[in-house]
Amino acid sequence: MEKTILDIICDTPIVVGTATKHREDPLYSDTRRSNFNMYTHEWSLKWKHVSPKPSQVHINKDAQAIIDAINNDNKKFKGHCILWHNDLPDWFHALGVQEKQTAMLNHVKSMMQMFKGKVYKWDVVNEAIADSTNDLRPMWKEVGGIDFIDKVFRVAHEVDPECTLVYNDYACTKINNKSNAIFNMLKTLKERGCPIHEVGLQTHEDGACMRHMWMESMKQNIARFYSIGLTSTISELDIRCHTFAGSLDEKLEKQADVYYRFFKAALSDLRACNEITLWNFTGKYTWVYDFFKVEPMYCPLPWDNDIKPTASYQAIKRALQEVVDGLMG
Ligand code: XIL
């Protein structure tokens, strides 16, 4: 039998996870089980979905099915995500500032409490920095800016001191104005003694960005976060290939090369980054076609729209095998 991702990484510190939705689809669940050692909810633990009514946490069918799969398949459980300016419950928008602060802190407490000891890592604050301004988004400014973010992490840590607490954002995997803004904010928080442990670099990328310099810049970015006491995780990886030159086959070959180099670069210092999560793993259930208006022939993930492995799957395994061989040697 051909080795899976999981066969390669088992007994190593490497985590390769996937975001997932619940589907009655045995090929989907079998492929997930035999390749990944961590699952995270793609949408169903977000605030809007768990709190249709104020001060309530209600785990819906999709969310519960994924929790069951995590337990049955014996996987690590990453929580995604507690506070985000998108997918807020409808009732939240009508609140005044103080009520919003209270609701947000209560939500942090309830989620941390509900999953205490089960979730090893939580995306506590998601996408607080706007790319248009490289400053905090209005929702965060309204409730008190960085002081409030500090408070949020402290409250989360108090409830579950064992849990790794993550700040997660997009368009910040390499060094640029946005990752500079995030770096400065997280550095300030660390200096204040805030219990924040990791930065999540989402990495919903266009293949055209994946030049050698891009990868080098990612390594430098991961290294600078590590220098202020934060590990990094590649938290939502998918690579759109429609902008590559050439025929469809050529685009997919180039995408495979990018996946190979990306895995090698991101995992080049496992103390600083030992975890990569795909944002779902098959074209069959990816958010990319809808959100980025990409034609479904350009699959951004290592399994195609029929859940068959692509060249990118082989490339990822080759990269992981080389990283693991490097650990042994
Ligand atoms: C996306 C999911 O993939 C979709 O299924 C959902 O409808 C909307 O959210 N940044 C994040 C993720 O942190 O939660 C988003 O996931 C993608 C962008």
Side-chain angles (χ1 to χ4, degrees):
M1 273 276 280
E2 205 195 321
K3 273 191 177 180
T4 64
I5 289 177
L6 190 57
D7 292 332
I8 296 168
I9 60 171
C10 68
D11 305 325
T12 77
I14 301 169
V15 177
V16 181
T18 185
T20 191
K21 309 178 216 193
H22 173 62
R23 291 289 179 274
E24 299 292 341
D25 182 340
L27 181 57
Y28 180 67
S29 22
D30 288 351
T31 308
R32 185 176 65 188
R33 183 178 52 244
S34 52
N35 279 280
F36 299 99
N37 55 5
M38 177 265 267
Y39 304 163
T40 190
H41 291 71
E42 184 170 342
W43 63 273
S44 48
L45 278 190
K46 289 168 184 166
W47 199 357
K48 176 183 184 152
H49 304 293
V50 295
S51 293
K53 298 208 183 104
S55 341
Q56 250 194 19
V57 177
H58 167 75
I59 299 302
N60 70 22
K61 238 178 89 215
D62 184 287
Q64 187 55 49
I66 293 166
I67 295 166
D68 295 345
I70 289 170
N71 293 332
N72 293 335
D73 299 353
N74 199 16
K75 303 299 178 186
K76 283 173 171 292
F77 182 179
K78 178 177 176 188
H80 176 79
C81 52
I82 304 186
L83 295 175
W84 190 27
H85 64 284
N86 275 335
D87 284 348
L88 288 165
D90 291 339
W91 54 263
F92 179 82
H93 297 284
L95 303 179
V97 175
Q98 273 186 359
E99 292 166 320
K100 280 187 179 161
Q101 290 171 329
T102 307
M104 288 164 87
L105 294 176
N106 282 345
H107 184 53
V108 172
K109 281 185 210 152
S110 322
M111 294 302 271
M112 293 303 301
Q113 190 60 52
M114 177 170 267
F115 293 102
K116 185 172 174 170
K118 299 181 179 116
V119 159
Y120 75 113
K121 182 181 287 191
W122 260 115
D123 287 328
V124 180
V125 172
N126 202 32
E127 303 181 353
I129 299 278
D131 16 350
S132 48
T133 57
N134 296 313
D135 194 4
L136 286 175
R137 290 180 189 275
M139 175 181 96
W140 289 102
K141 286 197 167 166
E142 189 187 1
V143 292
I146 191 168
D147 294 343
F148 192 75
I149 293 181
D150 190 355
K151 181 102 191 255
V152 160
F153 278 96
R154 286 176 199 269
V155 164
H157 183 66
E158 208 166 289
V159 179
D160 187 355
E162 300 297 317
C163 189
T164 297
L165 305 181
V166 186
Y167 174 82
N168 189 48
D169 214 326
Y170 65 91
C172 58
T173 305
K174 67 180 176 79
I175 294 187
N176 56 24
N177 290 340
K178 185 163 179 188
S179 64
N180 289 343
I182 292 168
F183 179 79
N184 291 335
M185 175 176 79
L186 300 186
K187 187 162 181 277
T188 304
L189 288 168
K190 286 300 277 186
E191 283 165 1
R192 291 182 181 186
C194 173
I196 175 166
H197 309 115
E198 184 161 285
V199 56
L201 311 170
Q202 292 186 11
T203 323
H204 298 289
E205 287 297 338
D206 187 319
C209 305
M210 298 290 192
R211 289 183 288 269
H212 176 71
M213 285 312 295
W214 197 101
M215 303 273 179
E216 288 304 306
S217 179
M218 166 171 72
K219 287 205 265 187
Q220 285 168 20
N221 199 28
I222 290 172
R224 72 168 164 170
F225 283 116
Y226 190 59
S227 77
I228 58 165
L230 293 169
T231 52
S232 295
T233 178
I234 305 298
S235 55
E236 306 190 8
L237 182 62
D238 41 40
I239 300 175
R240 306 189 293 283
C241 66
H242 63 292
T243 52
F244 281 121
S247 65
L248 178 59
D249 282 349
E250 286 163 347
K251 288 184 204 295
L252 292 172
E253 280 302 323
K254 284 183 184 147
Q255 181 194 44
D257 178 54
V258 169
Y259 265 113
Y260 169 80
R261 291 187 295 117
F262 185 89
F263 268 68
K264 293 277 305 239
L267 299 175
S268 61
D269 179 356
L270 293 177
R271 294 166 311 166
C273 176
N274 71 343
E275 182 178 288
I276 298 180
T277 303
L278 295 173
W279 205 241
N280 225 313
F281 57 92
T282 156
K284 189 166 182 183
Y285 301 124
T286 180
W287 75 308
V288 163
Y289 303 142
D290 276 349
F291 188 83
F292 293 101
K293 309 278 176 271
V294 170
E295 298 251 6
M297 62 203 244
Y298 301 121
C299 180
L301 290 162
W303 280 265
D304 69 12
N305 301 344
D306 299 318
I307 324 186
K308 286 206 202 72
T310 68
S312 290
Y313 178 61
Q314 302 306 335
I316 288 171
K317 288 198 295 176
R318 196 156 49 87
L320 287 168
Q321 189 64 61
E322 288 177 18
V323 174
V324 170
D325 290 347
L327 281 177
M328 310 295 175

